[in-house]
Structures are given as structure tokens and as C-alpha cells.
Amino acid sequence: VAVAIEADKSAFQLYKGGVLDNAACGTQLDHGVSVVGFGTDSGKDYWNVRNSWGGSWGESGYIRMEQGVNMCGISLSASSPTGAASAFAAPKYMFDRKFTYLSVSTDALPDLYSTEPAALFTAWQKKFGKAYGAEEVEGRHATFMDNLATIKAHNELYNAGKSGYTMGLNQFTDLSAEEFKTTYLSTHNKTSYK
């Protein structure tokens, strides 16, 4: 089932794993994804959603989004093949099998918490093939550090049991929220649903 969602928040940009349950996600639809299944993790029902940003983002290119709360506007604009039931009217019957998520890490990055930030930035650049001109490197490093602080602060909430998902380094960690939005999302003709 193809759906539109709002994906322009840091929760989506820096998503690493777990069930996305961020109420601040919004409903200004700006990105298309595919709902490919569902499941339950620690008593929380979720949609298994395939994104188009590649295997280094999220859970090997997928995100689990909480069901039943219109997370990121997921239930506002769904499209399914002719003759198929609506995934949102009868969610458990739309799919022929449940997905079981297996955590497989492809990260070769050093630990976020024990590595000196400059070394972490260098390792991240190497992993994602990022090369900057002399005039750009300082700004990209500053944005990386801002996003690293966001990741660490959010993961403290996760570790305290106050969030169902984690954030991590990915190919978008050197982008500000505005750069991410204008580069990777359909920001024109946004439709806001209440």
C-alpha cells in the first residue's frame, strides 16, 4: 500500500531503529513510502514501512511506525491496487503475513559515546563517502555536531523508556533540517490534514 507521510522532522531524518512514536511528527504530507506489513514490539503495534533512501537509513531501509495514532499522517492518503481492501480500514487483513524484524547492524562506525567527536566525524565521512571543499567542511562539521547532540539527547529518552525508537548516524547527518527537507522531500504543494 502506497502512503504519504510527513518526513521532514529530525525523528525521521535521523531514525535508526525501533517503533517511531513521536507525536510531533506532523501531518503535512511530503514523502511517499510503502506499507509492507505490520507487527507488534513490546506490546506496541506498528506498520512496517519501506522507504526509498537505501539500506543505510533506518532499519536497513525500513521504519516501524506506531499503528492507531495516524503517525506522521500515515492514514490520510493511502493508495492500494484496485480490488484490495483499505489497509487502514482493516489493517490486520490487508497483508498475508506478519513481519518479524531482525536487528542487523551494518554500521562500521565507532561508538557515539566513547569516540572523540572529530574522529567520529572523520569515520562517518569515510563510511558515507562524504568529501567537502575547504570552504564547506567547517559548516558540515558544525551541522554534524548539532545532529549528533540531537541523536544523543533523544537516545537518552529511549534509554529511560520514554521513546520507542532510536536515532543514529546515517547519510543525512551532515544536513540541517531545512537542507534535508528541500533536498529529499516534496516540499511544494504540501497538503495539511487536521
Side-chain angles (χ1 to χ4, degrees):
V1 175
V3 296
I5 58 171
E6 180 171 354
D8 64 352
K9 305 290 189 259
S10 64
F12 221 87
Q13 177 183 352
L14 302 171
Y15 172 81
K16 186 65 179 171
V19 179
L20 181 68
D21 58 359
N22 189 325
C25 198
T27 58
Q28 290 191 22
L29 308 179
D30 57 15
H31 186 55
V33 293
S34 298
V35 176
V36 297
F38 62 94
T40 302
D41 186 356
S42 301
K44 189 177 289 187
D45 292 337
Y46 64 85
W47 296 114
N48 196 28
V49 177
R50 183 180 58 82
N51 200 352
S52 59
W53 297 333
S56 61
W57 177 85
E59 296 176 334
S60 299
Y62 290 78
I63 183 171
R64 292 180 286 159
M65 299 177 72
E66 186 176 12
Q67 274 189 31
V69 293
N70 192 29
M71 187 59 50
C72 304
I74 195 168
S75 65
L76 299 176
S77 183
S79 176
S80 58
T82 303
S86 168
F88 301 101
K92 301 281 187 203
Y93 306 106
M94 178 62 188
F95 306 101
D96 58 358
R97 68 183 183 116
K98 277 191 168 186
F99 277 70
T100 302
Y101 176 73
L102 300 175
S103 181
V104 178
S105 176
T106 57
D107 274 349
L109 291 170
D111 179 68
L112 294 179
Y113 301 94
S114 63
T115 305
E116 192 271 322
L120 188 59
F121 180 66
T122 300
W124 173 86
Q125 282 183 283
K126 183 176 179 181
K127 176 176 174 65
F128 292 104
K130 302 283 185 157
Y132 310 112
E135 68 286 344
E136 187 180 18
V137 71
E138 186 176 321
R140 292 292 166 204
H141 182 262
T143 301
F144 176 91
M145 295 306 296
D146 289 346
N147 284 330
L148 181 60
T150 298
I151 290 166
K152 288 180 175 182
H154 174 80
N155 289 349
E156 286 180 19
L157 294 173
Y158 175 82
N159 291 335
K162 296 179 180 178
S163 176
Y165 69 100
T166 60
M167 291 181 161
L169 301 177
N170 62 32
Q171 67 268 40
F172 307 126
T173 310
D174 64 337
L175 299 177
S176 69
E178 187 60 30
E179 288 173 314
F180 176 72
K181 182 166 56 172
T182 59
T183 304
Y184 291 97
L185 304 173
S186 300
T187 56
H188 58 286
N189 287 331
K190 275 191 170 185
T191 302
S192 181
Y193 294 87
K194 300 288 180 201

